[in-house]
Amino acid sequence: MELLANKLRPKKLDDIIGQQHLVGTGKVLRNLVNNKKLFSCILYGKPGIGKTSIAYALAEELNVPYRFLNATINNKRDFDIVIEEAEMEGQMLVIMDEIHRLNKDKQDLLLPYIENGLIILIGMTTANPYSKINPAIRSRLQIFELHELTTSDITLGLQKATKHLDNLEIDDECLSYIANVSSGDFRSALNLLEIAYYSSEDKKITMDVLKNINSKPIFFHDKNEDGYYDTLSALQKSIRGSDVDASIHYLARLIEADDLDIIYRRLSVIAYEDIGLANSSIGPKVMAAISACERLGMPEARIVLSAIVIEMALSPKSNSAEVAIDAALNDIHSGNCGNVPKHIKNHSLEYKYPHNYKNSYVKQQYLPDNIKNKKYYYPKNNKFEQAMSKFNQSLRSEK
């Protein structure tokens, strides 16, 4: 039996859910269809938001011969067959899923035919094409980014889909629930609707039926794709930006993804990269929180993580340590170094031992001669760094 998601695959742009910036009146893909002209392109965006649907709708509306290939599954012989068919037809539209996984052999095979127009390629990917697709392919294809679907988009699509399920009974609350737990993935929403329809009594879908099937939202958390790292990035940027509520939201998403190790690693980075010397106790506190989480496990670990993330978001911020080391590394890489001063070389008899002097400080040169006045560290305006800097300056000013 054909799945509902496939049965409802749009055959024209008017049937596309959302993506009006591409398929709406006067927009680029609509105009290409109206002008009966298509160019090779990449459709880029999250799963279940219409990439495949748009590709098939373009093929149907333009009434051109097309073939579907997967860059990973289909082998070189499959590609050869499509090229042979294209030569017989005069031109062929190739719809290719996972184009970011296209290897060099297949690229080399396709490139000349894309360039001479024998093959029009519509590539689809959830990965960022600017970083994941080979420049040789990317430079020959126009990139169109699809937007995330709203709950309203998905609800509208579900309302249309209900007309294709005989004797279905479902209310607006249930449709809204399906739209919300799908987290922008329309294909997932259709699948949940169809499973609920066939697993319900007398084709009546209730909240109990839906929650027994799926009570968790579907997040875009594939570790091989951008969405997973987007969430990690959002967590770090929310903590850096001192937004407690956003920080907790993205922490919750990552907890639902069930990968505590990557949360531990990211929090450890944030402690030193973004908070640093403004709250020098935060690094050990993060380590203590990680240790507690490992001892407790889930679900209690969520409380520990929540507490440390809240403190990190509320903490004063400083990236002075990162700026200082990067500036020093830049000097090293550019050859701006010089020799270690003679008096601080190993076993030097000219070295002045600071602990033999008042306040354990004695004035002497430590940097090489050619950069002896170089300054790498610039304290940020927080209590700890200002206090330490003031103390350091007082030492240097003493005679």
Side-chain angles (χ1 to χ4, degrees):
M1 183 181 67
E2 188 179 18
L3 291 175
L4 183 62
N6 289 332
K7 189 185 298 183
L8 298 180
R9 182 81 68 194
K11 290 183 169 56
K12 53 186 179 178
L13 295 182
D14 287 338
D15 297 330
I16 299 294
I17 301 298
Q19 312 309 334
Q20 290 304 296
H21 66 295
L22 295 176
V23 303
T25 303
K27 302 303 181 182
V28 57
L29 296 184
R30 175 76 63 178
N31 288 342
L32 288 176
V33 167
N34 290 341
N35 293 321
K36 301 192 181 304
K37 184 69 176 178
L38 190 59
F39 297 91
S40 292
C41 62
I42 294 171
L43 301 177
Y44 154 53
K46 292 184 176 182
I49 62 174
K51 297 185 297 295
T52 306
S53 294
I54 288 176
Y56 278 121
L58 288 171
E60 293 287 344
E61 291 231 40
L62 291 169
N63 193 27
V64 294
Y66 67 88
R67 292 290 179 269
F68 185 91
L69 292 174
N70 184 296
T72 303
I73 297 170
N74 292 107
N75 58 34
K76 190 170 177 291
R77 177 57 185 153
D78 296 326
F79 281 65
D80 286 331
I81 291 171
V82 168
I83 291 170
E84 290 170 7
E85 291 180 343
E87 288 172 336
M88 288 187 288
E89 293 282 353
Q91 191 176 61
M92 178 72 70
L93 172 62
V94 175
I95 300 170
M96 184 179 299
D97 202 8
E98 297 192 88
I99 191 173
H100 62 284
R101 300 185 188 278
L102 194 64
N103 65 32
K104 190 174 185 306
D105 286 346
K106 294 171 186 174
Q107 289 175 32
D108 291 344
L109 181 66
L110 286 176
L111 279 175
Y113 300 106
I114 294 172
E115 287 185 334
N116 66 23
L118 182 68
I119 284 179
I120 298 172
L121 179 65
I122 298 181
M124 299 173 296
T125 180
T126 55
N128 186 338
Y130 296 100
S131 60
K132 297 295 179 68
I133 293 180
N134 187 294
I137 284 285
R138 192 178 68 233
S139 66
R140 292 165 172 82
L141 280 70
Q142 180 64 48
I143 297 173
F144 297 117
E145 182 175 2
L146 277 66
H147 293 170
E148 294 184 39
L149 296 178
T150 65
T151 302
S152 298
D153 291 332
I154 293 177
T155 302
L156 177 62
L158 289 171
Q159 289 169 343
K160 293 180 179 179
T162 58
K163 298 172 184 177
H164 296 266
L165 297 171
D166 295 336
N167 302 316
L168 168 65
E169 288 186 45
I170 186 169
D171 59 24
D172 290 342
E173 182 186 11
C174 290
L175 285 175
S176 179
Y177 176 84
I178 295 173
N180 280 310
V181 298
S182 68
S183 296
D185 187 331
F186 184 52
R187 181 171 53 241
S188 172
L190 286 176
N191 289 340
L192 178 54
L193 175 68
E194 187 172 23
I195 292 169
Y197 173 73
Y198 285 107
S199 63
S200 62
E201 216 174 334
D202 301 324
K203 306 298 188 294
K204 183 176 182 179
I205 297 178
T206 64
M207 289 297 292
D208 286 340
V209 169
L210 291 171
K211 288 183 177 180
N212 283 333
I213 298 169
N214 184 4
S215 60
K216 284 187 176 183
I218 297 159
F219 292 118
F220 186 56
H221 273 313
D222 184 343
K223 295 179 192 177
N224 294 319
E225 309 295 358
D226 288 345
Y228 188 73
Y229 295 99
D230 285 346
T231 306
L232 283 168
S233 175
L235 172 67
Q236 181 163 5
K237 287 169 182 170
S238 298
I239 292 175
R240 181 186 296 153
S242 302
D243 190 322
V244 179
D245 298 307
S247 301
I248 289 297
H249 173 79
Y250 292 115
L251 172 65
R253 285 197 184 195
L254 290 165
I255 288 173
E256 282 294 306
D258 199 25
D259 187 351
L260 295 184
D261 283 343
I262 203 160
I263 297 175
Y264 300 158
R265 290 195 295 274
R266 187 54 65 109
L267 293 184
S268 299
V269 169
I270 297 168
Y272 293 97
E273 180 182 342
D274 294 305
I275 298 172
L277 295 171
N279 180 359
S280 58
S281 68
I282 201 68
K285 283 184 177 181
V286 169
M287 292 302 109
I290 291 170
S291 178
C293 289
E294 290 176 338
R295 283 178 174 271
L296 293 170
M298 290 295 290
E300 288 82 2
R302 81 194 192 284
I303 305 168
V304 180
L305 290 170
S306 177
I308 193 64
V309 164
I310 288 171
E311 182 174 353
M312 293 173 81
L314 293 174
S315 176
K317 308 298 190 296
S318 173
N319 68 339
S320 59
E322 180 188 15
V323 171
I325 190 61
D326 285 348
L329 286 169
N330 185 58
D331 272 354
I332 305 302
H333 296 156
S334 61
N336 191 21
C337 301
N339 294 322
V340 174
K342 181 181 177 181
H343 60 278
I344 62 170
K345 286 184 177 180
N346 199 23
H347 304 305
S348 172
L349 298 178
E350 300 174 28
Y351 174 57
K352 296 176 183 178
Y353 188 57
H355 294 297
N356 290 337
Y357 296 84
K358 181 183 176 182
N359 294 324
S360 296
Y361 175 79
V362 60
K363 188 173 183 179
Q364 62 185 330
Q365 180 183 326
Y366 292 96
L367 279 170
D369 288 340
N370 61 320
I371 55 169
K372 64 181 181 180
N373 295 317
K374 186 76 175 185
K375 188 172 177 63
Y376 294 114
Y377 170 65
Y378 293 88
K380 288 294 183 79
N381 188 24
N382 57 76
K383 288 182 179 179
F384 180 82
E385 289 187 85
Q386 289 299 315
M388 293 302 97
S389 295
K390 187 175 180 181
F391 173 72
N392 187 267
Q393 289 168 10
S394 69
L395 289 178
R396 291 171 178 271
S397 63
E398 286 185 6
K399 295 182 179 179

